[in-house]
Amino acid sequence: MKIHVGKYAGFCFGVNQAVALVEEAARSGASVCTLGPIIHNRHVVGRFAAMGVQVIGRPEEAAPGQTVVIRAHGVPRQVEEALSAMDVTVVDATCPFVRRIHRLVQAAEAEGRIPVIIGSPDHPEVQGIASWSKSSLVFSSPEELAHWANSPGISSDLPVCLVCQTTFTANLWNFCVEIAKKQFTNLKIFDTICRATDCRQKEAAQMSESCQVMVVVGDPKSSNTSRLAAICRERCSRVTLVEDGSGLDPAFFRGASHVGITAGASTPAWIIKEVNNTMSEINAIETNQEQSFEELLEKSIKTLNTGDKVTGVVTHIGSTEIQVDLGTKQAGYIPCDEVSSDPNVKPEDILKVGDEIEVFVVRVNDQEGTCQLSKKKLDGLKIWDELNTLCQDKTVVEGNITEANKGGLVANMKGVRVFIPASQTGVPKGGDMSALVGQTVRMRITEVNRSRRRVIGSIRAVAAEERRAAAEKIWSEIEEGKKYHGVVKSLMPYGAFVDIGGVDGMVHVSELSWGRIKSPADVVKVGDEIDVFVLSFDRENRKISLGYKTPESNPWLQFLEKYSVGDVVPAKVAKLVSFGAFAEIMPGVDGLIHISQIADTRIEKPGDVLQEGQEVTVKIINVDEENHRISLSIRALRNGESQS
């Protein structure tokens, strides 16, 4: 029996984010509660309960000072408003893709459109979406939508906005879209099905067509898990929905050559792995039952060879060795110094009589009927097996950087030396790699060569993946006016590029300063951390225009607030022209001293009296607020005249 596990089975981005936020809040030491179960999976909820995380049904059940986590499905608008008015810390774990639908529905109502939501009316996600518009309608099927669209009084030019539940079935959504297109001429359609959900459903459909048995793993209360089971049942006659490995019945799989495993978005990886392991055990039992008595007898008395990995049971722990029953004709023993690589560990600290252990065969003595074993050597071999698995599965691991050299970095991971080439460190060419020494980094194992005892890793691969995820989150939440804290990545003559957390936006030179600047370098430099806001964005072409200067920093407004006509102020001559001189009153604000206001006698040109950079005292004689012009006078001070 071959077992096939779906590539898209298990946690989606939104669920993974929600679970991570709860874990982070729980580990911070705060009193944490979730508004409803964080996801539809009792195992995950139970694990959080063991960490002290409560589940509450209403906002008023939260205690003052508590941290309240909004679950991945989101909550109705009025619930968010109630929480914001309470003495609690709110952590919003709403899936970014669900939050986008909230904004779409809200915008539709503002445009005078009727938001039509395709999904289950009783589902928390749909209830939350519907709350963002007083006029929203919810239909659970194409038939319900068609019945409403054809009802008397429903005009074909009715302005409609069509969205759907993120976990809705793609085929049914397509039917709804066709119905809406035929019925309404003033229609906006937003395909809001989560792509991960779509991929998972398509994969489940393909697997169920080629497998004799399908196993769907997840909570029966989960909408997306139930839909997966329904999709599989349309194509496969033997489908079982289980919460974990304990729900598997060996008889259900009898005679099947191919079994598929898929899982809902709320199913953690460890449960999928448990189901897979249980399936493998069932397969092994079925295979063993087919073996003849002679084969089993042969296996029980087989001869061991040096280098074998075998399993035995500890029968005695002595002062110099541990005796192990291997179920073979040889008597197995482990010298005490072969139990652990840690010299401070005593055999009785980690082993007891009756323990089943896996060991490495060091030497076989058929004449004496003994077999020398080692647990220490096998533990060392297992690390390499684990490294191979980590490499094949592209698992993200942590390592401590112990060394930097010309070629790259060296990290220690579970006692194994991992080399990270300079090109894979994530440090720019010519940068200081030694700054990472002593730090714990996230990396991926890219190559394992056991014979040469060489392991290669990459920090850059993980960073790139995390940056892509961060970019998707930004694009799912971006809106005009939204503020970000970013880092200046590069400077160009026309502006500065700023990393706002996975995506680069451009601050045009005209948006860097209210005053005149020659280049962006006059205001910022590479590496600066600055606060910016979104002026506009092009989601299709992935371009963002950012602003840096704010109305509060407008020097003209600061001038009007500080000075008025008649004030005497210090100024610096900035530029001489034929008709007068421009003087800077404050950074970004210049006034004109007309040639007639420079001296009390007639002069040929301003340069006869003034020079650029000269400090002067002037009187403000006129302010044109509409055209941002200021008239100044030196002559008025010398003559004591009253100017206007």
Side-chain angles (χ1 to χ4, degrees), residues 319-558:
S319 58
T320 59
E321 65 182 33
I322 294 87
Q323 295 176 10
V324 180
D325 180 4
L326 300 174
T328 62
K329 60 184 180 182
Q330 293 95 350
Y333 69 94
I334 310 172
C336 285
D337 59 0
E338 288 296 320
V339 171
S340 171
S341 57
D342 186 346
N344 298 317
V345 171
K346 297 178 180 178
E348 55 268 26
D349 293 337
I350 57 175
L351 296 174
K352 62 180 184 294
V353 173
D355 281 353
E356 184 176 86
I357 60 170
E358 193 176 12
V359 288
F360 179 84
V361 176
V362 177
R363 185 181 300 107
V364 178
N365 190 326
D366 287 326
Q367 290 183 343
E368 296 181 3
T370 60
C371 178
Q372 183 180 333
L373 310 169
S374 173
K375 183 177 179 297
K376 180 171 72 175
K377 281 187 173 61
L378 186 61
D379 290 342
L381 292 173
K382 280 184 175 180
I383 290 176
W384 287 94
D385 290 339
E386 182 181 351
L387 287 169
N388 274 317
T389 301
L390 293 174
C391 182
Q392 292 170 8
D393 295 346
K394 298 183 179 180
T395 305
V396 176
V397 298
E398 289 188 347
N400 184 261
I401 302 299
T402 59
E403 178 188 336
N405 53 51
K406 291 182 180 180
L409 297 170
V410 175
N412 180 285
M413 194 207 79
K414 297 185 178 181
V416 177
R417 185 180 188 273
V418 181
F419 177 65
I420 304 167
S423 62
Q424 297 300 313
T425 61
V427 177
K429 190 174 182 180
D432 183 16
M433 290 188 295
S434 63
L436 290 175
V437 174
Q439 293 189 25
T440 298
V441 298
R442 289 162 57 79
M443 60 184 175
R444 183 170 283 136
I445 304 300
T446 58
E447 181 185 335
V448 177
N449 189 320
R450 183 180 296 196
S451 61
R452 298 179 61 182
R453 301 189 68 80
R454 183 179 71 179
V455 182
I456 306 296
S458 172
I459 299 172
R460 180 182 174 186
V462 176
E465 187 176 290
E466 291 174 343
R467 184 176 173 84
R468 283 194 295 271
E472 288 305 315
K473 186 174 187 298
I474 285 178
W475 282 113
S476 70
E477 299 176 343
I478 196 168
E479 55 189 28
E480 290 184 7
K482 189 162 187 176
K483 297 179 180 179
Y484 292 96
H485 185 72
V487 179
V488 178
K489 301 298 288 185
S490 63
L491 300 179
M492 302 296 287
Y494 50 82
F497 285 93
V498 180
D499 180 357
I500 57 175
V503 177
D504 286 352
M506 200 268 282
V507 184
H508 192 269
V509 66
S510 62
E511 290 295 329
L512 281 170
S513 172
W514 287 101
R516 291 186 296 272
I517 58 173
K518 293 181 180 179
S519 75
D522 294 340
V523 181
V524 295
K525 64 180 183 294
V526 173
D528 280 355
E529 294 187 17
I530 61 174
D531 292 315
V532 293
F533 58 93
V534 178
L535 290 174
S536 63
F537 60 92
D538 181 347
R539 184 176 274 109
E540 184 176 349
N541 295 307
R542 297 279 167 137
K543 292 182 179 179
I544 303 174
S545 178
L546 301 172
Y548 178 58
K549 63 181 187 184
T550 61
E552 296 78 16
S553 64
N554 188 339
W556 177 256
L557 297 179
Q558 294 174 2

Side-chain angles (χ1 to χ4, degrees), residues 142-164:
E143 292 77 17
E144 286 187 13
L145 175 63
H147 182 268
W148 170 75
N150 289 290
S151 299
I154 302 299
S155 171
S156 62
D157 61 355
L158 188 71
V160 171
C161 173
L162 194 68
V163 299
C164 67

Side-chain angles (χ1 to χ4, degrees), residues 188-316:
K188 278 190 175 181
I189 300 172
F190 295 96
D191 183 352
T192 52
I193 292 179
C194 173
R195 289 305 103 198
T197 298
D198 189 29
C199 291
R200 188 182 302 109
Q201 291 177 354
K202 287 179 179 177
E203 181 183 62
Q206 292 171 354
M207 290 175 65
S208 57
E209 288 176 349
S210 59
C211 294
Q212 288 85 36
V213 179
M214 282 298 297
V215 180
V216 182
V217 189
D219 195 311
K221 297 177 182 177
S222 167
S223 173
N224 68 82
T225 301
S226 299
R227 290 190 192 281
L228 278 179
I231 289 169
C232 292
R233 289 189 178 109
E234 290 174 3
R235 297 162 177 82
C236 181
S237 60
R238 294 160 69 182
V239 178
T240 181
L241 196 163
V242 297
E243 289 190 72
D244 52 38
S246 64
L248 295 170
D249 179 6
F252 191 75
F253 305 95
R254 196 156 293 147
S257 59
H258 292 270
V259 175
I261 299 176
T262 186
S266 301
T267 307
W270 62 269
I271 290 183
I272 300 173
K273 186 175 181 180
E274 176 198 296
V275 170
N276 189 16
N277 290 341
T278 303
M279 287 294 305
S280 298
E281 290 172 7
I282 291 172
N283 192 27
I285 291 170
E286 292 292 324
T287 303
N288 285 340
Q289 287 176 346
E290 295 173 2
Q291 289 181 313
S292 66
F293 174 77
E294 290 78 9
E295 288 173 326
L296 293 174
L297 182 62
E298 176 72 21
K299 184 177 180 180
S300 68
I301 60 171
K302 69 176 183 179
T303 302
L304 296 175
N305 298 301
T306 300
D308 286 348
K309 299 177 198 174
V310 293
T311 300
V313 177
V314 176
T315 57
H316 176 73

